[in-house]
Amino acid sequence: MKFSRKDVWTVPNILTYIRLLCVPVFFVLMVLYCIAPDGVNSAAYIWSAFGVFVFAEITDICDGYIARHFNMVSDIGKVLDPIADKVLQSVGIIMLAVAFVMTDKWPIALFAALIVIKEILMGVYSYYFMKASKRQVEQMANKWGKAGATINFIGLFFAFIALALANTKGVPEEVCEIIYWIDFAILAIGSALGIFNLFQYNIGYYRQLQKVRASGILDTLDDKGNPIVEQEAAQSETPDEGAAE
């Protein structure tokens, strides 16, 4: 895996940067929603936060499409894109959990904790396997991870709708309650898939690491994953200062 300067400002990576910038904007709007007095701009804050979140998710869809169809896939994007996704969804679920706890809907916070813990563990394990394999084992998405991420996004969508409608005048309380329990079921499924995906990732990483070790390639690489032979050749081509004198 090599980071190139020319890949820094490609369109897909710029969209990823925009998605990262959406996170603090979303966070501030959610904080304003949580501290606003009852009925004072609450609906405006939650709808605005919802809009920022949806916009950020649209950039995720667009950058992936552009990178694949216009051959703009880069190592920088492979690292930053999943980080941006995880940060956005983690901040989203945490802030929504806080908002639900403030309205005595605390069970949502349990799913938030599971999702965030799973993401942290995946990051730790991914770093370990990358380090142990000298960057020969790369993080790869699978169908379970994609399914879990999609379901969690749907769960976040329903959570926003439930909160927004609860702060909108004229909406029956029964409607908000139904949407809340639908959201509860969706996040429960998403959390279960996330935990299963964590095990799937680690099994896949471990198998890849075993293959890399068995191949003997690790003996030819330095700690950063660069070929040792090339480094030795470069050093041998460098004139010896002592001999020159």
Side-chain angles (χ1 to χ4, degrees):
M1 182 177 291
K2 296 180 180 179
F3 294 162
S4 175
R5 290 184 179 180
K6 68 178 182 179
D7 293 330
V8 173
W9 298 111
T10 61
V11 174
N13 289 337
I14 290 174
L15 290 173
T16 299
Y17 306 149
I18 292 174
R19 186 156 70 259
L20 284 169
L21 290 174
C22 286
V23 174
V25 177
F26 168 82
F27 177 79
V28 170
L29 288 170
M30 287 301 298
V31 169
L32 290 174
Y33 166 77
C34 291
I35 65 176
D38 292 340
V40 179
N41 296 326
S42 295
Y45 289 138
I46 193 64
W47 281 115
S48 297
F50 182 42
V52 172
F53 187 85
V54 171
F55 171 75
E57 289 291 347
I58 290 174
T59 65
D60 182 30
I61 296 172
C62 291
D63 73 37
Y65 176 85
I66 294 171
R68 289 188 300 271
H69 287 77
F70 294 94
N71 195 27
M72 293 185 179
V73 177
S74 65
D75 287 337
I76 295 176
K78 289 179 182 179
V79 173
L80 288 182
D81 185 67
I83 290 176
D85 294 343
K86 294 179 190 304
V87 170
L88 177 64
Q89 288 209 357
S90 296
V91 173
I93 192 68
I94 290 172
M95 294 308 298
L96 285 169
V98 171
F100 273 113
V101 168
M102 292 178 65
T103 57
D104 296 326
K105 302 291 186 182
W106 60 266
I108 294 293
L110 297 178
F111 299 127
L114 283 175
I115 292 171
V116 172
I117 290 172
K118 186 267 295 185
E119 295 295 347
I120 292 174
L121 288 176
M122 286 186 68
V124 171
Y125 288 133
S126 177
Y127 176 78
Y128 164 75
F129 284 112
M130 184 180 68
K131 189 76 173 177
S133 67
K134 297 183 179 180
R135 300 183 180 274
Q136 299 306 298
V137 173
E138 297 183 7
Q139 181 174 353
M140 300 296 291
N142 60 33
K143 61 181 180 180
W144 298 109
K146 293 178 180 179
T150 300
I151 291 174
N152 285 331
F153 172 72
I154 295 173
L156 291 175
F157 178 85
F158 273 93
F160 275 116
I161 295 298
L163 284 175
L165 292 180
N167 288 276
T168 302
K169 294 181 179 179
V171 178
E173 184 177 346
E174 293 78 8
V175 173
C176 299
E177 195 70 15
I178 291 172
I179 295 176
Y180 167 76
W181 286 110
I182 291 174
D183 182 46
F184 182 92
I186 293 172
L187 288 176
I189 295 172
S191 298
L193 274 177
I195 295 173
F196 178 74
N197 184 43
L198 176 63
F199 286 103
Q200 287 290 101
Y201 264 125
N202 287 331
I203 292 172
Y205 283 150
Y206 179 76
R207 288 175 177 172
Q208 289 184 54
L209 179 59
Q210 291 299 95
K211 289 181 180 179
V212 169
R213 284 174 172 170
S215 70
I217 192 175
L218 296 184
D219 296 331
T220 67
L221 303 174
D222 63 14
D223 292 338
K224 296 182 179 180
N226 300 316
I228 297 176
V229 176
E230 292 183 4
Q231 293 180 1
E232 292 176 347
Q235 290 175 359
S236 65
E237 292 176 0
T238 303
D240 186 16
E241 295 180 359
E245 294 176 356

PDB file of all heavy atoms in Angstrom, residues 199-225:
ATOM      1  N   PHE A 199     -16.603 -11.204  13.708  1.00  0.00           N
ATOM      2  CA  PHE A 199     -15.986 -12.525  13.701  1.00  0.00           C
ATOM      3  C   PHE A 199     -15.549 -12.922  12.293  1.00  0.00           C
ATOM      4  O   PHE A 199     -14.481 -13.504  12.106  1.00  0.00           O
ATOM      5  CB  PHE A 199     -16.950 -13.565  14.267  1.00  0.00           C
ATOM      6  CG  PHE A 199     -17.118 -13.484  15.764  1.00  0.00           C
ATOM      7  CD1 PHE A 199     -18.252 -12.907  16.314  1.00  0.00           C
ATOM      8  CD2 PHE A 199     -16.132 -13.966  16.612  1.00  0.00           C
ATOM      9  CE1 PHE A 199     -18.408 -12.822  17.688  1.00  0.00           C
ATOM     10  CE2 PHE A 199     -16.276 -13.882  17.993  1.00  0.00           C
ATOM     11  CZ  PHE A 199     -17.416 -13.317  18.535  1.00  0.00           C
ATOM     12  N   GLN A 200     -16.381 -12.622  11.291  1.00  0.00           N
ATOM     13  CA  GLN A 200     -16.053 -12.963   9.912  1.00  0.00           C
ATOM     14  C   GLN A 200     -14.774 -12.253   9.459  1.00  0.00           C
ATOM     15  O   GLN A 200     -13.916 -12.847   8.807  1.00  0.00           O
ATOM     16  CB  GLN A 200     -17.211 -12.576   8.984  1.00  0.00           C
ATOM     17  CG  GLN A 200     -18.419 -13.481   9.090  1.00  0.00           C
ATOM     18  CD  GLN A 200     -18.145 -14.856   8.516  1.00  0.00           C
ATOM     19  OE1 GLN A 200     -17.892 -15.801   9.237  1.00  0.00           O
ATOM     20  NE2 GLN A 200     -18.183 -14.969   7.204  1.00  0.00           N
ATOM     21  N   TYR A 201     -14.659 -10.983   9.802  1.00  0.00           N
ATOM     22  CA  TYR A 201     -13.467 -10.214   9.448  1.00  0.00           C
ATOM     23  C   TYR A 201     -12.217 -10.843  10.057  1.00  0.00           C
ATOM     24  O   TYR A 201     -11.203 -11.032   9.383  1.00  0.00           O
ATOM     25  CB  TYR A 201     -13.592  -8.775   9.944  1.00  0.00           C
ATOM     26  CG  TYR A 201     -14.102  -7.798   8.910  1.00  0.00           C
ATOM     27  CD1 TYR A 201     -15.213  -7.017   9.161  1.00  0.00           C
ATOM     28  CD2 TYR A 201     -13.460  -7.647   7.686  1.00  0.00           C
ATOM     29  CE1 TYR A 201     -15.688  -6.119   8.222  1.00  0.00           C
ATOM     30  CE2 TYR A 201     -13.918  -6.750   6.744  1.00  0.00           C
ATOM     31  CZ  TYR A 201     -15.036  -5.979   7.020  1.00  0.00           C
ATOM     32  OH  TYR A 201     -15.496  -5.097   6.087  1.00  0.00           O
ATOM     33  N   ASN A 202     -12.289 -11.137  11.342  1.00  0.00           N
ATOM     34  CA  ASN A 202     -11.114 -11.656  12.025  1.00  0.00           C
ATOM     35  C   ASN A 202     -10.702 -13.028  11.500  1.00  0.00           C
ATOM     36  O   ASN A 202      -9.506 -13.321  11.375  1.00  0.00           O
ATOM     37  CB  ASN A 202     -11.368 -11.730  13.532  1.00  0.00           C
ATOM     38  CG  ASN A 202     -11.373 -10.356  14.170  1.00  0.00           C
ATOM     39  OD1 ASN A 202     -10.701  -9.452  13.692  1.00  0.00           O
ATOM     40  ND2 ASN A 202     -12.136 -10.178  15.227  1.00  0.00           N
ATOM     41  N   ILE A 203     -11.679 -13.867  11.182  1.00  0.00           N
ATOM     42  CA  ILE A 203     -11.358 -15.175  10.598  1.00  0.00           C
ATOM     43  C   ILE A 203     -10.681 -14.984   9.243  1.00  0.00           C
ATOM     44  O   ILE A 203      -9.680 -15.631   8.929  1.00  0.00           O
ATOM     45  CB  ILE A 203     -12.644 -16.023  10.450  1.00  0.00           C
ATOM     46  CG1 ILE A 203     -13.174 -16.415  11.830  1.00  0.00           C
ATOM     47  CG2 ILE A 203     -12.354 -17.282   9.618  1.00  0.00           C
ATOM     48  CD1 ILE A 203     -14.530 -17.089  11.790  1.00  0.00           C
ATOM     49  N   GLY A 204     -11.234 -14.078   8.423  1.00  0.00           N
ATOM     50  CA  GLY A 204     -10.648 -13.809   7.108  1.00  0.00           C
ATOM     51  C   GLY A 204      -9.255 -13.228   7.206  1.00  0.00           C
ATOM     52  O   GLY A 204      -8.343 -13.641   6.476  1.00  0.00           O
ATOM     53  N   TYR A 205      -9.060 -12.279   8.125  1.00  0.00           N
ATOM     54  CA  TYR A 205      -7.741 -11.679   8.319  1.00  0.00           C
ATOM     55  C   TYR A 205      -6.726 -12.730   8.774  1.00  0.00           C
ATOM     56  O   TYR A 205      -5.586 -12.763   8.309  1.00  0.00           O
ATOM     57  CB  TYR A 205      -7.806 -10.569   9.377  1.00  0.00           C
ATOM     58  CG  TYR A 205      -8.406  -9.276   8.900  1.00  0.00           C
ATOM     59  CD1 TYR A 205      -9.085  -8.438   9.785  1.00  0.00           C
ATOM     60  CD2 TYR A 205      -8.290  -8.863   7.578  1.00  0.00           C
ATOM     61  CE1 TYR A 205      -9.631  -7.243   9.366  1.00  0.00           C
ATOM     62  CE2 TYR A 205      -8.837  -7.679   7.149  1.00  0.00           C
ATOM     63  CZ  TYR A 205      -9.504  -6.872   8.043  1.00  0.00           C
ATOM     64  OH  TYR A 205     -10.047  -5.689   7.630  1.00  0.00           O
ATOM     65  N   TYR A 206      -7.145 -13.582   9.705  1.00  0.00           N
ATOM     66  CA  TYR A 206      -6.236 -14.595  10.241  1.00  0.00           C
ATOM     67  C   TYR A 206      -5.799 -15.564   9.140  1.00  0.00           C
ATOM     68  O   TYR A 206      -4.617 -15.922   9.053  1.00  0.00           O
ATOM     69  CB  TYR A 206      -6.922 -15.356  11.373  1.00  0.00           C
ATOM     70  CG  TYR A 206      -6.056 -16.438  11.969  1.00  0.00           C
ATOM     71  CD1 TYR A 206      -5.010 -16.116  12.828  1.00  0.00           C
ATOM     72  CD2 TYR A 206      -6.285 -17.782  11.663  1.00  0.00           C
ATOM     73  CE1 TYR A 206      -4.203 -17.109  13.369  1.00  0.00           C
ATOM     74  CE2 TYR A 206      -5.483 -18.776  12.197  1.00  0.00           C
ATOM     75  CZ  TYR A 206      -4.444 -18.434  13.055  1.00  0.00           C
ATOM     76  OH  TYR A 206      -3.650 -19.423  13.574  1.00  0.00           O
ATOM     77  N   ARG A 207      -6.733 -15.981   8.304  1.00  0.00           N
ATOM     78  CA  ARG A 207      -6.400 -16.892   7.213  1.00  0.00           C
ATOM     79  C   ARG A 207      -5.438 -16.237   6.223  1.00  0.00           C
ATOM     80  O   ARG A 207      -4.497 -16.876   5.747  1.00  0.00           O
ATOM     81  CB  ARG A 207      -7.675 -17.339   6.501  1.00  0.00           C
ATOM     82  CG  ARG A 207      -8.525 -18.309   7.337  1.00  0.00           C
ATOM     83  CD  ARG A 207      -9.828 -18.620   6.644  1.00  0.00           C
ATOM     84  NE  ARG A 207     -10.608 -19.589   7.412  1.00  0.00           N
ATOM     85  CZ  ARG A 207     -11.870 -19.923   7.123  1.00  0.00           C
ATOM     86  NH1 ARG A 207     -12.478 -19.379   6.067  1.00  0.00           N
ATOM     87  NH2 ARG A 207     -12.509 -20.810   7.859  1.00  0.00           N
ATOM     88  N   GLN A 208      -5.696 -14.955   5.920  1.00  0.00           N
ATOM     89  CA  GLN A 208      -4.788 -14.241   5.016  1.00  0.00           C
ATOM     90  C   GLN A 208      -3.392 -14.126   5.617  1.00  0.00           C
ATOM     91  O   GLN A 208      -2.379 -14.300   4.925  1.00  0.00           O
ATOM     92  CB  GLN A 208      -5.332 -12.846   4.719  1.00  0.00           C
ATOM     93  CG  GLN A 208      -6.562 -12.821   3.837  1.00  0.00           C
ATOM     94  CD  GLN A 208      -6.973 -11.397   3.507  1.00  0.00           C
ATOM     95  OE1 GLN A 208      -6.179 -10.599   3.017  1.00  0.00           O
ATOM     96  NE2 GLN A 208      -8.215 -11.058   3.797  1.00  0.00           N
ATOM     97  N   LEU A 209      -3.331 -13.829   6.911  1.00  0.00           N
ATOM     98  CA  LEU A 209      -2.046 -13.693   7.591  1.00  0.00           C
ATOM     99  C   LEU A 209      -1.280 -15.013   7.563  1.00  0.00           C
ATOM    100  O   LEU A 209      -0.058 -15.030   7.341  1.00  0.00           O
ATOM    101  CB  LEU A 209      -2.264 -13.237   9.035  1.00  0.00           C
ATOM    102  CG  LEU A 209      -1.001 -13.068   9.892  1.00  0.00           C
ATOM    103  CD1 LEU A 209      -0.056 -12.052   9.263  1.00  0.00           C
ATOM    104  CD2 LEU A 209      -1.380 -12.656  11.309  1.00  0.00           C
ATOM    105  N   GLN A 210      -1.976 -16.125   7.767  1.00  0.00           N
ATOM    106  CA  GLN A 210      -1.328 -17.430   7.732  1.00  0.00           C
ATOM    107  C   GLN A 210      -0.758 -17.728   6.345  1.00  0.00           C
ATOM    108  O   GLN A 210       0.347 -18.261   6.212  1.00  0.00           O
ATOM    109  CB  GLN A 210      -2.325 -18.524   8.136  1.00  0.00           C
ATOM    110  CG  GLN A 210      -2.738 -18.484   9.598  1.00  0.00           C
ATOM    111  CD  GLN A 210      -1.574 -18.677  10.554  1.00  0.00           C
ATOM    112  OE1 GLN A 210      -0.997 -17.703  11.037  1.00  0.00           O
ATOM    113  NE2 GLN A 210      -1.205 -19.919  10.812  1.00  0.00           N
ATOM    114  N   LYS A 211      -1.498 -17.378   5.304  1.00  0.00           N
ATOM    115  CA  LYS A 211      -1.021 -17.595   3.933  1.00  0.00           C
ATOM    116  C   LYS A 211       0.212 -16.736   3.648  1.00  0.00           C
ATOM    117  O   LYS A 211       1.166 -17.194   3.011  1.00  0.00           O
ATOM    118  CB  LYS A 211      -2.128 -17.262   2.936  1.00  0.00           C
ATOM    119  CG  LYS A 211      -3.282 -18.265   2.926  1.00  0.00           C
ATOM    120  CD  LYS A 211      -4.330 -17.864   1.896  1.00  0.00           C
ATOM    121  CE  LYS A 211      -5.485 -18.859   1.884  1.00  0.00           C
ATOM    122  NZ  LYS A 211      -6.528 -18.472   0.894  1.00  0.00           N
ATOM    123  N   VAL A 212       0.170 -15.497   4.114  1.00  0.00           N
ATOM    124  CA  VAL A 212       1.307 -14.599   3.889  1.00  0.00           C
ATOM    125  C   VAL A 212       2.540 -15.123   4.605  1.00  0.00           C
ATOM    126  O   VAL A 212       3.654 -15.123   4.052  1.00  0.00           O
ATOM    127  CB  VAL A 212       0.960 -13.170   4.370  1.00  0.00           C
ATOM    128  CG1 VAL A 212       2.209 -12.298   4.396  1.00  0.00           C
ATOM    129  CG2 VAL A 212      -0.090 -12.545   3.460  1.00  0.00           C
ATOM    130  N   ARG A 213       2.390 -15.581   5.833  1.00  0.00           N
ATOM    131  CA  ARG A 213       3.521 -16.119   6.585  1.00  0.00           C
ATOM    132  C   ARG A 213       4.078 -17.376   5.916  1.00  0.00           C
ATOM    133  O   ARG A 213       5.301 -17.562   5.840  1.00  0.00           O
ATOM    134  CB  ARG A 213       3.088 -16.427   8.014  1.00  0.00           C
ATOM    135  CG  ARG A 213       2.945 -15.182   8.889  1.00  0.00           C
ATOM    136  CD  ARG A 213       2.372 -15.515  10.251  1.00  0.00           C
ATOM    137  NE  ARG A 213       2.412 -14.362  11.144  1.00  0.00           N
ATOM    138  CZ  ARG A 213       1.809 -14.328  12.332  1.00  0.00           C
ATOM    139  NH1 ARG A 213       1.119 -15.378  12.762  1.00  0.00           N
ATOM    140  NH2 ARG A 213       1.900 -13.244  13.086  1.00  0.00           N
ATOM    141  N   ALA A 214       3.176 -18.220   5.427  1.00  0.00           N
ATOM    142  CA  ALA A 214       3.611 -19.464   4.784  1.00  0.00           C
ATOM    143  C   ALA A 214       4.339 -19.207   3.467  1.00  0.00           C
ATOM    144  O   ALA A 214       5.202 -19.985   3.061  1.00  0.00           O
ATOM    145  CB  ALA A 214       2.406 -20.376   4.539  1.00  0.00           C
ATOM    146  N   SER A 215       3.998 -18.099   2.808  1.00  0.00           N
ATOM    147  CA  SER A 215       4.623 -17.792   1.518  1.00  0.00           C
ATOM    148  C   SER A 215       6.081 -17.368   1.648  1.00  0.00           C
ATOM    149  O   SER A 215       6.850 -17.420   0.694  1.00  0.00           O
ATOM    150  CB  SER A 215       3.844 -16.683   0.805  1.00  0.00           C
ATOM    151  OG  SER A 215       4.006 -15.441   1.472  1.00  0.00           O
ATOM    152  N   GLY A 216       6.480 -16.907   2.850  1.00  0.00           N
ATOM    153  CA  GLY A 216       7.852 -16.476   3.081  1.00  0.00           C
ATOM    154  C   GLY A 216       8.136 -15.057   2.628  1.00  0.00           C
ATOM    155  O   GLY A 216       9.267 -14.565   2.751  1.00  0.00           O
ATOM    156  N   ILE A 217       7.117 -14.352   2.149  1.00  0.00           N
ATOM    157  CA  ILE A 217       7.324 -12.996   1.634  1.00  0.00           C
ATOM    158  C   ILE A 217       7.702 -12.014   2.737  1.00  0.00           C
ATOM    159  O   ILE A 217       8.373 -11.005   2.484  1.00  0.00           O
ATOM    160  CB  ILE A 217       6.062 -12.499   0.881  1.00  0.00           C
ATOM    161  CG1 ILE A 217       6.391 -11.212   0.109  1.00  0.00           C
ATOM    162  CG2 ILE A 217       4.914 -12.262   1.861  1.00  0.00           C
ATOM    163  CD1 ILE A 217       5.251 -10.727  -0.757  1.00  0.00           C
ATOM    164  N   LEU A 218       7.298 -12.302   3.973  1.00  0.00           N
ATOM    165  CA  LEU A 218       7.583 -11.376   5.066  1.00  0.00           C
ATOM    166  C   LEU A 218       9.083 -11.227   5.309  1.00  0.00           C
ATOM    167  O   LEU A 218       9.539 -10.185   5.780  1.00  0.00           O
ATOM    168  CB  LEU A 218       6.888 -11.846   6.350  1.00  0.00           C
ATOM    169  CG  LEU A 218       5.358 -11.860   6.322  1.00  0.00           C
ATOM    170  CD1 LEU A 218       4.800 -12.250   7.677  1.00  0.00           C
ATOM    171  CD2 LEU A 218       4.802 -10.498   5.906  1.00  0.00           C
ATOM    172  N   ASP A 219       9.852 -12.266   4.971  1.00  0.00           N
ATOM    173  CA  ASP A 219      11.304 -12.202   5.154  1.00  0.00           C
ATOM    174  C   ASP A 219      11.968 -11.251   4.159  1.00  0.00           C
ATOM    175  O   ASP A 219      13.121 -10.859   4.346  1.00  0.00           O
ATOM    176  CB  ASP A 219      11.912 -13.597   4.995  1.00  0.00           C
ATOM    177  CG  ASP A 219      11.434 -14.552   6.080  1.00  0.00           C
ATOM    178  OD1 ASP A 219      11.135 -14.061   7.191  1.00  0.00           O
ATOM    179  OD2 ASP A 219      11.346 -15.761   5.818  1.00  0.00           O
ATOM    180  N   THR A 220      11.258 -10.901   3.092  1.00  0.00           N
ATOM    181  CA  THR A 220      11.824 -10.023   2.060  1.00  0.00           C
ATOM    182  C   THR A 220      11.358  -8.582   2.211  1.00  0.00           C
ATOM    183  O   THR A 220      11.687  -7.737   1.377  1.00  0.00           O
ATOM    184  CB  THR A 220      11.434 -10.528   0.657  1.00  0.00           C
ATOM    185  OG1 THR A 220      10.010 -10.390   0.470  1.00  0.00           O
ATOM    186  CG2 THR A 220      11.812 -11.988   0.485  1.00  0.00           C
ATOM    187  N   LEU A 221      10.573  -8.289   3.270  1.00  0.00           N
ATOM    188  CA  LEU A 221      10.012  -6.951   3.458  1.00  0.00           C
ATOM    189  C   LEU A 221      10.479  -6.348   4.773  1.00  0.00           C
ATOM    190  O   LEU A 221      10.711  -7.073   5.753  1.00  0.00           O
ATOM    191  CB  LEU A 221       8.478  -7.004   3.450  1.00  0.00           C
ATOM    192  CG  LEU A 221       7.799  -7.601   2.217  1.00  0.00           C
ATOM    193  CD1 LEU A 221       6.304  -7.712   2.445  1.00  0.00           C
ATOM    194  CD2 LEU A 221       8.078  -6.756   0.972  1.00  0.00           C
ATOM    195  N   ASP A 222      10.593  -5.010   4.784  1.00  0.00           N
ATOM    196  CA  ASP A 222      10.879  -4.344   6.046  1.00  0.00           C
ATOM    197  C   ASP A 222       9.573  -4.118   6.798  1.00  0.00           C
ATOM    198  O   ASP A 222       8.508  -4.544   6.356  1.00  0.00           O
ATOM    199  CB  ASP A 222      11.627  -3.022   5.810  1.00  0.00           C
ATOM    200  CG  ASP A 222      10.802  -2.012   5.011  1.00  0.00           C
ATOM    201  OD1 ASP A 222       9.571  -2.208   4.861  1.00  0.00           O
ATOM    202  OD2 ASP A 222      11.386  -1.033   4.514  1.00  0.00           O
ATOM    203  N   ASP A 223       9.624  -3.430   7.941  1.00  0.00           N
ATOM    204  CA  ASP A 223       8.433  -3.248   8.771  1.00  0.00           C
ATOM    205  C   ASP A 223       7.345  -2.434   8.085  1.00  0.00           C
ATOM    206  O   ASP A 223       6.171  -2.525   8.446  1.00  0.00           O
ATOM    207  CB  ASP A 223       8.820  -2.569  10.086  1.00  0.00           C
ATOM    208  CG  ASP A 223       9.670  -3.486  10.969  1.00  0.00           C
ATOM    209  OD1 ASP A 223       9.589  -4.718  10.763  1.00  0.00           O
ATOM    210  OD2 ASP A 223      10.402  -2.969  11.830  1.00  0.00           O
ATOM    211  N   LYS A 224       7.733  -1.629   7.091  1.00  0.00           N
ATOM    212  CA  LYS A 224       6.762  -0.811   6.369  1.00  0.00           C
ATOM    213  C   LYS A 224       6.213  -1.502   5.122  1.00  0.00           C
ATOM    214  O   LYS A 224       5.415  -0.921   4.394  1.00  0.00           O
ATOM    215  CB  LYS A 224       7.376   0.532   5.994  1.00  0.00           C
ATOM    216  CG  LYS A 224       7.745   1.391   7.193  1.00  0.00           C
ATOM    217  CD  LYS A 224       8.308   2.729   6.756  1.00  0.00           C
ATOM    218  CE  LYS A 224       8.658   3.594   7.964  1.00  0.00           C
ATOM    219  NZ  LYS A 224       9.221   4.908   7.548  1.00  0.00           N
ATOM    220  N   GLY A 225       6.674  -2.714   4.872  1.00  0.00           N
ATOM    221  CA  GLY A 225       6.173  -3.455   3.724  1.00  0.00           C
ATOM    222  C   GLY A 225       6.941  -3.210   2.444  1.00  0.00           C
ATOM    223  O   GLY A 225       6.513  -3.642   1.369  1.00  0.00           O
TER     224      GLY A 225
END
